[in-house]
Amino acid sequence: MIVEDGEKNILVDLSNCNYCDSSGMSALLLGNRLCIAVNGKLVLYGLSSRIKEMMDLVGFDSFLKIADTKEKAEEFLL
């Protein structure tokens, strides 16, 4: 796993993703927890409007870091 290999910050580009089911959402939550456990950050960017709506609906936007672009996502890591 990336976190076990010493990485603590992870940027996830979802610009080519049009659908995310509960398994995908669980994977993102797990990744976020693993990053937090090593004082890191998981940042999502490039979400389609459909996925952004779903994240908002289930409340993920309140604890996941979400940016519109890679550049803005990288600002979360500063």
Side-chain angles (χ1 to χ4, degrees):
M1 289 178 58
I2 293 172
V3 173
E4 291 173 350
D5 289 339
E7 296 296 328
K8 65 178 191 171
N9 296 317
I10 300 173
L11 298 178
V12 181
D13 179 3
L14 294 174
S15 59
N16 289 318
C17 182
N18 294 315
Y19 177 78
C20 186
D21 63 11
S22 60
S23 296
M25 299 292 257
S26 292
L28 293 172
L29 289 176
L30 175 60
N32 189 54
R33 277 192 300 245
L34 291 171
C35 286
I36 290 170
V38 294
N39 295 317
K41 298 175 186 171
L42 178 111
V43 185
L44 310 177
Y45 69 95
L47 282 69
S48 69
S49 59
R50 181 178 182 182
I51 292 177
K52 176 83 169 96
E53 277 181 38
M54 186 173 58
M55 295 261 183
D56 294 344
L57 182 66
V58 297
F60 280 18
D61 61 322
S62 65
F63 56 89
L64 288 177
K65 292 170 181 49
I66 300 172
D68 293 328
T69 65
K70 182 177 182 180
E71 292 76 21
K72 289 183 181 179
E74 290 171 338
E75 290 177 13
F76 277 108
L77 305 180
L78 300 177

